[in-house]
Amino acid sequence: MHDAIGFSSLETGANYTMEWYELFQLGNCTFPHLRPEMFAPFWCNQGAACFFEGIDDLHWSQNGTLEKIGEVTGSQFNAMAQWVQDDNKTGIYYETWTVCSDPSPNATVWFESYDCSQFVHRTYRKLTELGAKLSSRSQTNYTKIYLYSGEPRYLGNDSAIFGQPALKNLATDIRQFYHAFRPHQSIFDLAFSLLEAYKKVVLDKSFYLYYNFEYWHLPMKHPYVQITYEEVPLP
């Protein structure tokens, strides 16, 4: 469920990995922490591109696909490197979910995910724009996690919801929703939380999404949640 781009220098033979990562792990980016001293949920959902020396060939070969897809010049690489820094400043949060109206090909996409695979797609498009030619012998598939809902309803940001006494009921409902997804639960608590989450998402058809520092309510629809492994061709 992870994607990255590797680079190898023809001059020096040095290898490098570039990937867009959730800085505080996937669970913390997907659901918040509920702190007793804070009424608003505490989010650790920052993401950023990371560039480091070396490619873990064994890991990628055994657990996925490791394949050369093109060559770039030094000037193209330098232009891409500058773009990565600009991209890092533009999108600073990690978003796990893709939210659609239904599973059909013509579905309305309410919210796009902002994750490791989306960074790979953006980088491929930028490299192509810079003149690189990319091709793959393998089918380029990526994992996506979908939520299905009717038209989302905008609720507000932290200060609007958790700082207004008039919206205390909404604020309390959001906290109760996320309570089922809290980390570090015992086996007993986890079993109870799974039942609680099922009731809220499937039976009550309700989901609170935190997207770009704002809360939205999703009126959930069948099949509610789905994990797919779908092809996204190279540009």
Side-chain angles (χ1 to χ4, degrees):
M1 294 179 66
H2 186 59
D3 308 284
I5 304 174
F7 296 92
S8 180
S9 170
L10 290 176
E11 283 191 4
T12 67
N15 295 326
Y16 303 91
T17 298
M18 183 173 74
E19 55 189 352
W20 204 82
Y21 227 79
E22 65 277 7
L23 299 183
F24 301 99
Q25 302 302 321
L26 181 60
N28 291 322
C29 287
T30 307
F31 299 110
H33 290 260
L34 300 178
R35 294 183 168 184
E37 70 277 11
M38 294 175 58
F39 193 37
F42 183 78
W43 288 89
C44 300
N45 61 337
Q46 292 80 15
C50 306
F51 192 94
F52 55 91
E53 189 170 357
I55 296 175
D56 190 346
D57 292 49
L58 185 64
H59 168 78
W60 292 105
S61 298
Q62 289 185 344
N63 298 287
T65 303
L66 178 64
E67 181 189 5
K68 177 181 175 179
I69 61 168
E71 295 185 1
V72 296
T73 65
S75 59
Q76 288 171 337
F77 179 87
N78 289 337
M80 180 211 68
Q82 181 58 56
W83 170 84
V84 169
Q85 295 182 65
D86 296 337
D87 186 74
N88 252 355
K89 298 173 184 176
T90 303
I92 62 172
Y93 63 91
Y94 188 100
E95 179 53 55
T96 303
W97 312 104
T98 299
V99 184
C100 294
S101 58
D102 58 76
S104 71
N106 298 320
T108 299
V109 179
W110 304 118
F111 298 97
E112 276 282 9
S113 61
Y114 206 82
D115 55 15
C116 56
S117 66
Q118 293 295 330
F119 172 74
V120 168
H121 300 325
R122 292 197 303 278
T123 305
Y124 286 164
R125 289 194 295 269
K126 185 62 182 181
L127 287 172
T128 302
E129 178 187 313
L130 293 169
K133 304 298 183 183
L134 307 178
S135 63
S136 174
R137 298 185 305 274
S138 307
Q139 185 169 309
T140 49
N141 284 34
Y142 302 87
T143 302
K144 298 195 76 169
I145 306 179
Y146 287 94
L147 296 176
Y148 298 107
S149 84
E151 185 171 355
R153 180 167 59 92
Y154 176 70
L155 300 175
N157 58 23
D158 277 352
S159 58
I161 297 172
F162 297 93
Q164 301 291 336
L167 295 179
K168 186 176 181 179
N169 288 342
L170 172 61
T172 301
D173 198 44
I174 293 175
R175 281 185 62 90
Q176 289 176 345
F177 173 81
Y178 286 125
H179 184 261
F181 302 97
R182 66 193 183 281
H184 313 304
Q185 299 186 54
S186 67
I187 297 297
F188 175 80
D189 287 340
L190 180 60
F192 183 80
S193 292
L194 288 174
L195 291 174
E196 187 180 6
Y198 178 83
K199 176 183 180 300
K200 291 176 178 177
V201 175
V202 177
L203 300 183
D204 297 341
K205 296 179 169 50
S206 178
F207 193 101
Y208 287 109
L209 178 73
Y210 188 67
Y211 194 90
N212 200 14
F213 308 108
E214 296 175 320
Y215 286 94
W216 297 77
H217 180 258
L218 306 180
M220 299 296 286
K221 296 164 55 178
H222 181 81
Y224 309 105
V225 183
Q226 189 175 36
I227 299 177
T228 65
Y229 189 59
E230 56 194 51
E231 182 182 14
V232 180
L234 290 170

